[in-house]
Amino acid sequence: MVSPAASGGGNAGLADPLLATNDNSEGARHVFGAKAKYWVPADEKEIAASRECGGEDGRPLLYRTFKVKGMLVNTYRFLNLARLTAVIVFFAWRVQHPDSDAMWLWWISVVGDFWFGLSWWLNQVPKLNPTICIPTIPLLRQQFDLPDGGSNLPVLDVFISTVDPVEEPMLHTMNSILSILATDYPVDKYATYLSDDGGSLLHYDGLVETAKFAALWVPFCRKHHVEPRAPESYFGVKIRPYMGNLPEEFLDDHGRLRREYEEFKTRLDALFTLIPQRSEAHGREDAKGGGGKATWMADGTQWPGTWTEPAEGHRKGDHAGIIQVMLSQPSSEPQLGEPASSDHSPLDFSAVDVRLPMLVYVSREKRPGYDHQKKAGALNVQLRVSALLSNAPFIINFDCDHYINNSQAFRAAMCFMMDRRDGDNVAFVQFPQRFDDVDPTDRYANHNRMFFDATMLGMNGIQGPSYVGTGSMFRRVALYGADPPRWRPDDVKVLENPNKFGKSMTFINSIPVAANQERSVMSPVSLDEPATTELADVMTCAYEDGTEWGDGVGWVYDMATEDAVTGFRLHRTGWRSMYCDMEPPAFCGTAPINMTERMYQILRWSGGSLEVFFSRFCPLLAGRRLHPMQRVAYTNMTFYPLSALFVVCYHLLPLMWVFNGQFYIQKPYPTYVMYVLIIIVSNEVIGMVEIVWAGLTLLDWFRNEQFYMICATGVYPTAVLHVVLRSLGLKGMSFKMTAKQLATGARERFAELYDVQWAPLLIPTLVVIAVNVVAIGVAVGKAITWGWSAGQVVEAASGLMFNVWILLMFYPFALGVIGRWGKRPFVLFAMFVAAFAAIAAVYVAVQAALAGNLPYFQLGHRSIGGAVSLASRRV
């Protein structure tokens, strides 16, 4: 009999990555790390009842709930309330004292202060009840794993989406697939679907090579309990602790498989030249292709997708639909491999289950004249195709650059879906995004820790986290638009209006079957002619005409951020979501470390968020099923770019210092400064408390502050402009796809961090930096020219501190602009000092010239001090 570990149904011999057992303290320490001392169990009564009687139906509780300790969270709430009081008092004082050197600017600043106070409060309110839920995987095994090595876990479909094998390096995509094929979930209970939205033969042939290599990689992972199970990441670290049971065989197996992996990568790279050479060798021209040369498959047939040399019916946005089962559905019985031999298997798999999960290639039909809705459209096609093949009640989706970093991830998500307390009302489980190959200081806040480790924990204590587009497990019927059980009357069926799903009766008949969350047997896959015809039908462009796909069914259309609005639609319907953070992280991916690429990514997110706020999905218009605090959270997440209009005004205020000798935005000035300092200091204190319970560092918090300021000057105003253009019926901005980091190459590590890609998006931030540099230089020049009394120094100090603070906030941006010089931060410091000195010298020279003396550059042997003295006497 094959052990559960050898068959892919368990992880015997490997310490569970969660260790979240019923031992509260030990589980918390392992998952929380250093912040464990700030969190306490919040479900002890439920756990005690479960231990005593096994629950109402004999099933154990599959996850634990933890809250922040009372003293810490109450301190956090009190500080927020105190700051809110200070903001209200400050605003009232300003309204009662309408006194300024420029009243038009006073009005702008008052409205801005009100907006900042409102947006800050909306941001804080959802975080007042942070909650962490820890899956108890040992109890999931206890409930669903069978003594013979089998399992009653539900069937699962896995979606991966990709478009371009160059912009989204194919090696990333294939590593993602390999990690999925090797994950610790019963091999006969999940199927993987790769959506190639570009219809590229590169992806198809790459998947063929991946399926071949998986025959070695997957049994190797099972035999030696490898973590992580993406070979690029696994082999990228020289030393890892061995967690398997066969150390005497490991070194030989590891070395052999590493060589096999290098050969696999070579074959993938070779496809970029092999496919054009193969097509050229055929020496044929397709008359239907307008004279263009056809792209040929390895079996001697023409590729129905996009050709290397585009032709009619074979170019991006115009090609036939393609579906191919690359790995068939495995049997339910373990299949042992062969002993090591030179002819068949280079590794000894005689005691290892060598079955591979089902793997399917999908490329939907695309034709001119149709809006294909990008990623959302591709996911909806995957939803329909998978319903006709495996029809799993649960779905998990990935971006092509994310891989499974913890082989227990699928089981962890199932703990929330199958928990007897409220699992059937959970629409999706969201994992945090974690990234490889981000520079050590995280210059552009790619990790986004304040959001994933603070805001999402706050939302987890309300109605659940938002959907972030990848690393999410869904309940299929929730995506179909069904109401959650808590809002569904007993006599109402899941399928009420079949017409909204289209005309495919096979698909419609699959919906009630998918509603059975405990279905643990995958239906046999048949690709006979009727089934193939049905599959082709649900992949056509015209299938969704007259249906609710993209609105009430599936992923939502016509939004740049289809992920956030789809999650909101589910919450609005009454579903809840759960947040699952694991150690080690469940999934890892790549992030754009180039500044311009990162800013374009934020532009798409912020522009899409603002679109949601001004659309029919506005959180303020949602019904009573949306929790009030969840409404607040979504409101803040969708309208935050509007704050940029006031941030830019404040950043340009130093211009008043340049053109005016003295300028006060609010009088009496000392009282104004006192209020501002109280509000700023209180905000920083709140931030310090927040990073304590969230387990973050000062650098995480500071990078978040810096990148918010950077985006608020260039990215968010552009997002606002996009929405204004859209509201006027114009096209708006074109959001470019984020280019991923190259997987391999001769370039040094983090080379993209120092590449300068000039774009109009950078100009506003450059202007703000220039304004503040000039303001500081002019201040130095004024001090040299006129001299300052002690009182003037005190008054000028606050303005100069503001200038320096702005430059500090824009420090990462400035490093990015100077390119490779950014490797030496002291160069940037020297440039700033030189700029201050040059501007001060120019100011002194100009004042000297205006005072009737020779310009500075004609003074010759005279000192700057002499010129200043002459100018002072003249004045």
Side-chain angles (χ1 to χ4, degrees), residues 77-340:
R77 294 167 181 168
F78 172 78
L79 290 172
N80 277 280
L81 182 60
R83 188 176 191 271
L84 176 64
T85 303
V87 168
I88 294 173
V89 172
F90 172 58
F91 182 76
W93 176 82
R94 292 207 66 186
V95 172
Q96 293 169 4
H97 297 80
D99 190 4
S100 172
D101 288 334
M103 287 305 297
W104 63 271
L105 195 55
W106 181 88
W107 278 108
I108 292 177
S109 68
V110 167
V111 175
D113 287 344
F114 172 79
W115 187 266
F116 290 144
L118 176 63
S119 60
W120 167 80
W121 183 242
L122 293 181
N123 181 62
Q124 292 301 112
V125 166
K127 295 187 287 188
L128 297 180
N129 184 35
T131 303
I132 289 181
C133 297
I134 303 176
T136 53
I137 294 181
L139 295 182
L140 182 82
R141 295 183 186 278
Q142 173 184 318
Q143 180 175 334
F144 290 97
D145 287 0
L146 302 176
D148 62 356
S151 176
N152 285 327
L153 281 169
V155 182
L156 175 66
D157 287 336
V158 186
F159 294 172
I160 308 176
S161 304
T162 188
V163 179
D164 192 303
V166 177
E167 289 290 330
E168 299 174 322
M170 186 165 62
L171 185 61
H172 288 327
T173 304
M174 299 309 155
N175 263 269
S176 177
I177 292 171
L178 286 168
S179 71
I180 293 168
L181 297 179
T183 196
D184 179 22
Y185 200 79
V187 66
D188 58 323
K189 296 184 183 299
Y190 71 104
T192 305
Y193 295 83
L194 172 66
S195 171
D196 174 16
D197 221 28
S200 170
L201 182 56
L202 281 167
H203 279 135
Y204 182 91
D205 280 359
L207 203 59
V208 172
E209 293 293 341
T210 301
K212 293 177 182 177
F213 179 70
L216 289 176
W217 174 250
V218 174
F220 169 77
C221 292
R222 293 174 183 161
K223 179 179 179 180
H224 295 293
H225 308 298
V226 165
E227 295 284 346
R229 299 191 175 183
E232 187 70 15
S233 177
Y234 176 72
F235 290 122
V237 177
K238 293 182 179 180
I239 300 177
R240 292 184 184 274
Y242 180 67
M243 305 298 291
N245 301 318
L246 300 169
E248 66 280 358
E249 297 183 28
F250 175 71
L251 289 179
D252 289 340
D253 288 356
H254 180 277
R256 182 58 186 267
L257 200 66
R258 181 159 195 163
R259 291 192 294 272
E260 293 284 348
Y261 179 61
E262 293 300 324
E263 294 177 7
F264 165 70
K265 291 199 294 184
T266 301
R267 293 195 298 272
L268 287 184
D269 290 339
L271 291 176
F272 288 87
T273 56
L274 177 62
I275 291 174
Q277 289 174 357
R278 178 202 302 157
S279 301
E280 186 69 27
H282 279 79
R284 304 173 184 172
E285 291 187 357
D286 184 1
K288 298 181 180 180
K293 294 182 179 179
T295 297
W296 294 81
M297 301 174 66
D299 62 2
T301 59
Q302 287 187 6
W303 174 242
T306 302
W307 287 354
T308 305
E309 296 186 16
E312 184 178 351
H314 295 281
R315 57 169 62 95
K316 288 185 177 180
D318 182 18
H319 60 78
I322 309 165
I323 184 166
Q324 179 65 46
V325 177
M326 314 299 287
L327 293 173
S328 300
Q329 178 183 348
S331 68
S332 58
E333 295 297 325
Q335 178 184 340
L336 300 182
E338 299 180 356

Side-chain angles (χ1 to χ4, degrees), residues 347-398:
L347 278 69
D348 181 7
F349 294 143
S350 58
V352 181
D353 186 358
V354 296
R355 291 176 299 162
L356 298 177
M358 182 175 171
L359 177 62
V360 183
Y361 173 90
V362 179
S363 182
R364 58 178 169 149
E365 181 193 46
K366 287 189 172 182
R367 297 302 179 195
Y370 285 91
D371 186 349
H372 299 109
Q373 298 293 343
K374 300 180 181 178
K375 180 181 176 181
L379 285 168
N380 283 339
V381 169
Q382 283 180 295
L383 196 59
R384 295 194 293 270
V385 167
S386 63
L388 301 186
L389 293 177
S390 47
N391 197 28
F394 299 104
I395 295 164
I396 190 163
N397 82 289
F398 295 94

Side-chain angles (χ1 to χ4, degrees), residues 529-850:
E529 185 173 348
T532 304
T533 302
E534 198 74 28
L535 286 167
D537 181 49
V538 299
M539 294 169 62
T540 59
C541 300
Y543 181 82
E544 295 180 355
D545 293 347
T547 69
E548 293 187 19
W549 285 98
D551 185 9
V553 179
W555 277 263
V556 176
Y557 291 162
D558 299 318
M559 297 288 174
T561 50
E562 78 291 326
D563 46 9
V565 70
T566 299
F568 168 74
R569 193 199 74 200
L570 295 173
H571 283 136
R572 185 184 65 176
T573 310
W575 292 95
R576 74 153 292 134
S577 57
M578 300 296 293
Y579 195 54
C580 181
D581 194 3
M582 300 176 67
E583 185 59 40
F587 313 112
C588 287
T590 60
I593 62 173
N594 179 267
M595 180 177 68
T596 306
E597 291 291 343
R598 173 66 168 148
M599 293 180 73
Y600 273 119
Q601 183 186 56
I602 300 297
L603 175 60
R604 182 175 65 84
W605 292 348
S606 56
S609 297
L610 206 54
E611 280 182 343
V612 174
F613 185 75
F614 290 103
S615 73
R616 65 189 185 280
F617 294 104
C618 177
L620 300 178
L621 305 179
R624 65 188 181 92
R625 294 186 182 183
L626 187 68
H627 191 284
M629 291 299 99
Q630 195 79 4
R631 189 189 309 270
V632 169
Y634 272 115
T635 300
N636 177 66
M637 290 170 59
T638 53
F639 86 154
Y640 69 91
L642 294 175
S643 301
L645 303 178
F646 301 104
V647 172
V648 171
C649 290
Y650 275 104
H651 284 173
L652 296 178
L653 274 180
L655 284 172
M656 308 304 294
W657 172 263
V658 175
F659 297 112
N660 295 275
Q662 247 182 2
F663 175 79
Y664 296 107
I665 192 174
Q666 175 71 61
K667 300 176 181 178
Y669 188 67
T671 307
Y672 173 73
V673 172
M674 179 192 71
Y675 274 117
V676 170
L677 287 176
I678 290 174
I679 290 173
I680 291 176
V681 171
S682 63
N683 187 60
E684 308 313 309
V685 172
I686 291 171
M688 296 304 99
V689 176
E690 191 169 310
I691 66 175
V692 168
W693 60 254
L696 305 179
T697 65
L698 284 172
L699 182 62
D700 294 327
W701 171 78
F702 191 55
R703 283 287 186 255
N704 181 77
E705 296 289 305
Q706 287 180 315
F707 208 68
Y708 173 81
M709 287 297 182
I710 292 171
C711 293
T713 55
V715 176
Y716 297 161
T718 306
V720 174
L721 177 61
H722 163 74
V723 172
V724 171
L725 293 175
R726 286 286 298 267
S727 65
L728 295 176
L730 303 176
K731 184 178 180 181
M733 306 293 172
S734 296
F735 299 123
K736 68 186 293 289
M737 182 178 69
T738 304
K740 311 297 183 183
Q741 293 184 54
L742 296 178
T744 58
R747 301 190 70 190
E748 62 179 302
R749 195 181 185 197
F750 306 132
E752 296 172 34
L753 187 68
Y754 308 108
D755 290 342
V756 181
Q757 299 179 14
W758 290 104
L761 202 62
L762 308 182
I763 294 175
T765 311
L766 287 171
V767 170
V768 170
I769 291 177
V771 165
N772 284 273
V773 169
V774 169
I776 294 176
V778 169
V780 175
K782 286 182 178 182
I784 295 174
T785 304
W786 315 112
W788 280 348
S789 65
Q792 288 175 316
V793 170
V794 172
E795 290 184 351
S798 61
L800 288 174
M801 287 175 60
F802 179 74
N803 299 138
V804 172
W805 175 75
I806 288 180
L807 293 181
L808 186 61
M809 289 294 104
F810 290 108
Y811 170 75
F813 180 90
L815 282 179
V817 168
I818 64 175
R820 293 200 163 270
W821 290 104
K823 292 182 177 181
R824 303 171 182 85
F826 69 86
V827 173
L828 179 62
F829 177 77
M831 292 173 66
F832 276 139
V833 172
F836 299 152
I839 294 167
V842 170
Y843 181 87
V844 169
V846 169
Q847 293 301 320
L850 293 176

